[in-house]
Protein backbone atom coordinates (compact mmCIF):
# COMPACT_ATOMS: atom_id res chain seq x y z
CA UNK A 1 0.00 0.00 0.00
CA UNK A 2 1.51 3.38 -1.00
CA UNK A 3 2.09 5.88 1.81
CA UNK A 4 -0.50 8.59 2.43
CA UNK A 5 0.26 12.14 1.30
CA UNK A 6 1.19 13.00 4.90
CA UNK A 7 3.52 10.02 5.22
CA UNK A 8 5.04 10.62 1.79
CA UNK A 9 5.65 14.27 2.65
CA UNK A 10 7.26 13.26 5.97
CA UNK A 11 9.55 10.71 4.33
CA UNK A 12 10.56 13.24 1.68
CA UNK A 13 11.26 15.88 4.32
CA UNK A 14 13.39 13.46 6.35
CA UNK A 15 15.38 12.51 3.27
CA UNK A 16 15.83 16.19 2.42
CA UNK A 17 17.11 16.77 5.97
CA UNK A 18 19.59 13.92 5.58
CA UNK A 19 20.87 15.37 2.31
CA UNK A 20 21.02 18.87 3.79
CA UNK A 21 23.19 17.59 6.64
CA UNK A 22 25.60 16.02 4.15
CA UNK A 23 26.00 19.24 2.19
CA UNK A 24 25.91 21.95 4.86
CA UNK A 25 27.44 22.73 8.18
CA UNK A 26 24.54 22.69 10.63
CA UNK A 27 24.14 25.50 13.17
CA UNK A 28 25.57 24.74 16.58
CA UNK A 29 23.21 23.44 19.23
CA UNK A 30 22.59 25.72 22.24
CA UNK A 31 25.30 25.96 24.88
CA UNK A 32 23.29 23.75 27.24
CA UNK A 33 24.18 20.81 24.99
CA UNK A 34 27.91 21.56 24.76
CA UNK A 35 28.89 18.47 26.75
CA UNK A 36 26.26 16.14 25.29
CA UNK A 37 27.41 13.19 23.21
CA UNK A 38 26.76 9.56 22.32
CA UNK A 39 26.23 8.67 25.97
CA UNK A 40 23.31 11.08 26.29
CA UNK A 41 21.71 9.85 23.07
CA UNK A 42 22.06 6.17 23.98
CA UNK A 43 20.66 6.59 27.50
CA UNK A 44 17.75 8.71 26.25
CA UNK A 45 16.76 6.12 23.67
CA UNK A 46 17.02 3.30 26.21
CA UNK A 47 14.67 5.16 28.57
CA UNK A 48 12.30 6.14 25.76
CA UNK A 49 11.98 2.50 24.73
CA UNK A 50 10.81 1.67 28.27
CA UNK A 51 8.42 4.62 28.59
CA UNK A 52 5.28 2.48 28.46
CA UNK A 53 6.42 0.22 31.26
CA UNK A 54 7.58 3.19 33.34
CA UNK A 55 4.24 4.98 32.92
CA UNK A 56 2.24 1.91 34.01
CA UNK A 57 4.05 1.46 37.31
CA UNK A 58 2.02 2.79 40.24
CA UNK A 59 5.23 3.26 42.18
CA UNK A 60 8.03 5.14 40.48
CA UNK A 61 11.20 3.22 41.38
CA UNK A 62 14.60 4.56 40.43
CA UNK A 63 16.00 2.83 37.34
CA UNK A 64 19.63 2.08 36.55
CA UNK A 65 20.98 2.02 33.01
CA UNK A 66 23.96 -0.32 32.74
CA UNK A 67 26.39 -1.32 30.03
CA UNK A 68 28.86 -4.18 29.88
CA UNK A 69 31.32 -1.95 31.74
CA UNK A 70 29.04 -0.85 34.57
CA UNK A 71 26.54 1.79 35.59
CA UNK A 72 25.96 4.45 32.94
CA UNK A 73 23.00 6.37 34.36
CA UNK A 74 20.37 6.50 37.09
CA UNK A 75 16.86 7.77 36.40
CA UNK A 76 14.14 8.89 38.79
CA UNK A 77 10.72 8.76 37.05
CA UNK A 78 9.16 10.65 39.96
CA UNK A 79 11.62 13.55 39.60
CA UNK A 80 12.09 13.09 35.83
CA UNK A 81 15.79 13.54 36.47
CA UNK A 82 18.68 11.53 35.00
CA UNK A 83 22.18 11.19 36.42
CA UNK A 84 24.64 10.39 33.63
CA UNK A 85 28.22 9.31 34.01
CA UNK A 86 30.45 12.15 32.86
CA UNK A 87 31.54 11.94 29.23
CA UNK A 88 35.08 11.07 28.27
CA UNK A 89 35.23 7.90 30.32
CA UNK A 90 35.57 4.35 29.02
CA UNK A 91 31.80 3.97 29.32
CA UNK A 92 31.31 6.59 26.61
CA UNK A 93 32.65 4.25 23.93
CA UNK A 94 30.06 3.35 21.30
CA UNK A 95 30.68 -0.39 21.55
CA UNK A 96 29.65 -0.27 25.19
CA UNK A 97 26.53 1.80 24.54
CA UNK A 98 24.90 -0.49 21.98
CA UNK A 99 23.46 -2.96 24.48
CA UNK A 100 22.28 -0.86 27.42
CA UNK A 101 20.04 -2.54 29.98
CA UNK A 102 17.47 -0.65 32.06
CA UNK A 103 16.80 -2.17 35.49
CA UNK A 104 14.17 -1.22 38.06
CA UNK A 105 15.67 -0.83 41.50
CA UNK A 106 14.01 -1.59 44.87
CA UNK A 107 11.38 0.91 46.02
CA UNK A 108 13.78 2.26 48.65
CA UNK A 109 16.45 3.16 46.07
CA UNK A 110 17.28 6.82 45.46
CA UNK A 111 19.37 8.72 42.97
CA UNK A 112 23.11 8.52 43.59
CA UNK A 113 24.46 10.58 46.47
CA UNK A 114 27.82 11.49 47.98
CA UNK A 115 30.91 9.72 46.62
CA UNK A 116 28.80 7.56 44.31
CA UNK A 117 27.48 10.66 42.50
CA UNK A 118 30.83 12.40 41.96
CA UNK A 119 31.35 11.06 38.41
CA UNK A 120 27.75 11.77 37.39
CA UNK A 121 25.93 14.90 36.22
CA UNK A 122 22.21 15.54 36.67
CA UNK A 123 20.16 16.40 33.59
CA UNK A 124 16.36 16.82 33.35
CA UNK A 125 14.81 14.08 31.23
CA UNK A 126 12.99 16.62 29.06
CA UNK A 127 16.31 18.23 28.11
CA UNK A 128 17.67 14.84 27.03
CA UNK A 129 14.54 14.15 24.98
CA UNK A 130 14.74 17.52 23.22
CA UNK A 131 18.43 16.98 22.44
CA UNK A 132 17.73 13.46 21.17
CA UNK A 133 15.26 14.77 18.60
CA UNK A 134 17.66 17.51 17.48
CA UNK A 135 20.94 15.59 17.42
CA UNK A 136 20.20 11.95 16.53
CA UNK A 137 18.97 11.35 13.01
CA UNK A 138 17.55 7.95 13.97
CA UNK A 139 15.33 9.72 16.52
CA UNK A 140 13.07 10.62 13.58
CA UNK A 141 12.07 6.95 13.46
CA UNK A 142 10.33 7.37 16.81
CA UNK A 143 7.69 9.66 15.32
CA UNK A 144 4.39 7.78 14.91
CA UNK A 145 2.74 7.38 11.54
CA UNK A 146 1.22 10.63 10.29
CA UNK A 147 -1.44 8.80 8.25
CA UNK A 148 -4.79 10.54 8.84
CA UNK A 149 -3.24 12.61 11.61
CA UNK A 150 -3.19 16.34 12.32
CA UNK A 151 -0.50 18.07 14.33
CA UNK A 152 -1.39 20.32 17.23
CA UNK A 153 0.65 21.86 20.02
CA UNK A 154 -0.73 20.50 23.30
CA UNK A 155 1.43 22.72 25.46
CA UNK A 156 4.54 24.86 25.26
CA UNK A 157 7.67 22.67 25.62
CA UNK A 158 8.95 22.77 29.21
CA UNK A 159 12.56 23.46 28.31
CA UNK A 160 14.77 26.39 29.24
CA UNK A 161 14.01 29.43 27.04
CA UNK A 162 17.58 29.48 25.74
CA UNK A 163 17.09 26.03 24.20
CA UNK A 164 14.48 27.26 21.72
CA UNK A 165 15.71 28.92 18.54
CA UNK A 166 13.65 31.33 16.44
CA UNK A 167 12.56 28.60 14.04
CA UNK A 168 11.22 26.61 16.96
CA UNK A 169 9.20 29.58 18.15
CA UNK A 170 7.76 30.13 14.67
CA UNK A 171 6.80 26.46 14.43
CA UNK A 172 5.24 26.52 17.90
CA UNK A 173 3.22 29.61 16.97
CA UNK A 174 1.92 27.96 13.77
CA UNK A 175 0.96 24.71 15.51
CA UNK A 176 -0.77 26.59 18.35
CA UNK A 177 -3.48 28.03 16.11
CA UNK A 178 -5.20 25.07 14.44
CA UNK A 179 -4.50 21.36 13.95
CA UNK A 180 -2.64 20.88 10.68
CA UNK A 181 -1.76 17.95 8.51
CA UNK A 182 1.95 17.67 7.81
CA UNK A 183 1.60 18.38 4.11
CA UNK A 184 -0.44 21.52 4.85
CA UNK A 185 2.08 22.68 7.47
CA UNK A 186 5.05 22.75 5.09
CA UNK A 187 3.86 25.59 2.79
CA UNK A 188 3.24 27.76 5.88
CA UNK A 189 6.89 27.55 6.96
CA UNK A 190 9.88 29.58 5.88
CA UNK A 191 12.08 27.67 3.45
CA UNK A 192 15.03 27.75 5.86
CA UNK A 193 12.85 26.33 8.64
CA UNK A 194 11.60 23.48 6.46
CA UNK A 195 15.13 22.03 6.37
CA UNK A 196 14.72 21.21 10.08
CA UNK A 197 11.02 20.42 10.32
CA UNK A 198 11.59 16.69 10.95
CA UNK A 199 13.95 17.01 13.94
CA UNK A 200 11.97 19.96 15.29
CA UNK A 201 8.65 18.10 15.22
CA UNK A 202 10.37 15.05 16.69
CA UNK A 203 11.70 17.05 19.63
CA UNK A 204 8.25 18.53 20.23
CA UNK A 205 6.71 15.05 20.14
CA UNK A 206 9.29 13.39 22.39
CA UNK A 207 8.90 16.10 25.03
CA UNK A 208 5.12 15.74 25.04
CA UNK A 209 4.41 19.16 23.57
CA UNK A 210 3.12 17.91 20.22
CA UNK A 211 -0.15 16.03 19.94
CA UNK A 212 -1.27 13.94 16.97
CA UNK A 213 -5.04 14.08 16.41
CA UNK A 214 -6.97 11.74 14.16
CA UNK A 215 -8.48 13.44 11.15
CA UNK A 216 -12.26 13.28 10.91
Amino acid sequence: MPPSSNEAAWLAACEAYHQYKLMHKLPSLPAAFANFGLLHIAVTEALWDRRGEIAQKKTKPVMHVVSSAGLVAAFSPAQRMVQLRDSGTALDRMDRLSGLIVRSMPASAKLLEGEAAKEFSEVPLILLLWHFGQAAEHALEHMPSLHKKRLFLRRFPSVEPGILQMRHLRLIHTLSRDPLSFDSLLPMMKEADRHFVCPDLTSLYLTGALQLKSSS
Side-chain angles (χ1 to χ4, degrees), residues 33-74:
F33 302 126
N35 295 321
F36 281 34
L38 295 177
L39 176 66
H40 297 74
I41 290 173
V43 168
T44 305
E45 188 164 29
L47 293 174
W48 176 258
D49 288 342
R50 296 283 293 274
R51 68 193 183 282
E53 174 190 337
I54 293 171
Q56 289 176 359
K57 290 181 180 291
K58 291 183 179 179
T59 59
K60 301 294 182 184
V62 167
M63 312 190 84
H64 281 183
V65 183
V66 299
S67 75
S68 60
L71 181 65
V72 170

Side-chain angles (χ1 to χ4, degrees), residues 38 42 67-69 89-100:
L38 295 177
S67 75
S68 60
T89 67
L91 293 181
D92 204 12
R93 283 171 32 192
M94 192 62 210
D95 62 328
R96 291 180 173 173
L97 296 175
S98 58
L100 296 182

Side-chain angles (χ1 to χ4, degrees), residues 15-36:
E15 177 59 26
Y17 172 60
H18 173 69
Q19 295 300 323
Y20 187 84
K21 285 182 65 177
L22 293 177
M23 299 176 63
H24 299 82
K25 182 179 179 181
L26 299 185
S28 300
L29 292 176
F33 302 126
N35 295 321
F36 281 34

